[in-house]
Amino acid sequence: MPREFELKLHLPARHAPGFRHEPLLVSLARGPVRRQRLRAIYFDSADRRLSAAGIACRVRKAGRRWYQTIKLPQGIVSANVHEEIERAVAGPALELSRAEIVRLERATEGTVDPASLSPVFETRVERTIWPLRLIETDIELVYDRGRILVGGRSERISEVEIELQTGRGGRVFELALSLFLAHYTSWWVA
């Protein structure tokens, strides 16, 4: 299974316009900036068993297609490192296979009834993606701006995600530190 190594930072929306033209990002760019609209629905049980075990279970619409993703924690404290299981599904509902249910049960150390998993919250974001190259390491820097919707309430999302594609994981922290130092009065780790 693919492993995901990422670091998330909060970026106040008022700083986003300047961030889009950040000289460091421009200097490290290894391809064109891409943009996409995403809708994601996150699922859990009523007792929040998946969340308590550090698991994210969602379906996400990108373009016209839906994808189901299960992120299982890998136990590294310094960043978000997950084993990621992703595949296409028909629509905005979970389609858990028996193998995926077994993986969830192992991670939660208990029984997981797919029928007990229901939507907890939804995100709708506009995503901007910068492919970057930093000393023999490929990184994808993502800026998400949009809303999180929970039980009729809505809250803004404005976050940066720095994800290792290939190379050394330490470069993720180097990039985050460089960006943080350039904007330290307005950023904090999410």
Side-chain angles (χ1 to χ4, degrees), residues 28-77:
L28 297 175
R30 65 174 171 85
V33 173
R34 302 183 322 268
R35 289 184 175 77
Q36 61 185 161
R37 291 181 188 268
L38 300 172
R39 175 183 174 208
I41 303 167
Y42 290 79
F43 294 79
D44 206 338
S45 58
D47 63 0
R48 302 296 183 256
R49 174 179 292 174
L50 300 183
S51 177
I55 299 168
C57 192
R58 72 163 186 240
V59 291
R60 176 187 280 167
K61 185 176 185 184
R64 295 182 181 185
R65 307 258 340 230
W66 286 91
Y67 300 90
Q68 175 177 281
T69 305
I70 300 169
K71 293 185 179 188
L72 301 162
Q74 293 295 297
I76 297 174
V77 177

Side-chain angles (χ1 to χ4, degrees), residues 11 20 31 36 47 49 51 55 58 64 78 87 90 98 102 104 121 127 135 145 152 159 161 163 166-167 172 176 179:
L11 176 67
R20 290 185 183 130
Q36 61 185 161
D47 63 0
R49 174 179 292 174
S51 177
I55 299 168
R58 72 163 186 240
R64 295 182 181 185
S78 60
R87 63 185 176 88
R98 182 65 199 143
V102 168
L104 290 173
F121 65 92
R127 174 167 279 185
I135 312 172
R145 186 177 79 178
E159 73 176 16
E161 179 180 296
E163 184 174 339
T166 63
V172 168
L179 290 169

Side-chain angles (χ1 to χ4, degrees), residues 15-189:
H15 294 283
F19 179 74
R20 290 185 183 130
H21 305 289
E22 170 61 46
L24 181 60
L25 299 182
V26 173
S27 72
L28 297 175
R30 65 174 171 85
V33 173
R34 302 183 322 268
R35 289 184 175 77
Q36 61 185 161
R37 291 181 188 268
L38 300 172
R39 175 183 174 208
I41 303 167
Y42 290 79
F43 294 79
D44 206 338
S45 58
D47 63 0
R48 302 296 183 256
R49 174 179 292 174
L50 300 183
S51 177
I55 299 168
C57 192
R58 72 163 186 240
V59 291
R60 176 187 280 167
K61 185 176 185 184
R64 295 182 181 185
R65 307 258 340 230
W66 286 91
Y67 300 90
Q68 175 177 281
T69 305
I70 300 169
K71 293 185 179 188
L72 301 162
Q74 293 295 297
I76 297 174
V77 177
S78 60
N80 289 332
V81 179
H82 293 94
E83 177 182 357
E84 190 172 287
I85 304 166
E86 184 171 79
R87 63 185 176 88
V89 293
L94 290 176
E95 298 177 16
L96 296 172
S97 69
R98 182 65 199 143
E100 290 165 337
I101 293 168
V102 168
R103 297 298 300 275
L104 290 173
E105 290 178 339
R106 282 187 197 143
T108 60
E109 299 179 357
T111 303
V112 174
D113 176 8
S116 73
L117 302 177
S118 60
V120 177
F121 65 92
E122 181 175 330
T123 61
R124 294 183 184 192
V125 299
E126 184 172 311
R127 174 167 279 185
T128 305
I129 304 163
W130 287 268
L132 306 175
R133 180 93 173 147
L134 176 62
I135 312 172
E136 300 177 2
T137 298
D138 291 324
I139 294 172
E140 188 173 83
L141 187 135
V142 173
Y143 172 59
D144 284 341
R145 186 177 79 178
R147 303 205 72 78
I148 183 169
L149 307 144
V150 180
R153 296 180 320 237
S154 174
E155 182 77 29
R156 286 185 182 192
I157 295 173
S158 181
E159 73 176 16
V160 172
E161 179 180 296
I162 304 170
E163 184 174 339
L164 178 67
Q165 300 296 301
T166 63
R168 295 185 48 216
R171 300 287 183 235
V172 168
F173 295 104
E174 290 174 21
L175 177 60
L177 181 59
S178 296
L179 290 169
F180 181 79
L181 292 173
H183 303 277
Y184 73 93
T185 59
S186 60
W187 288 46
W188 61 91
V189 176

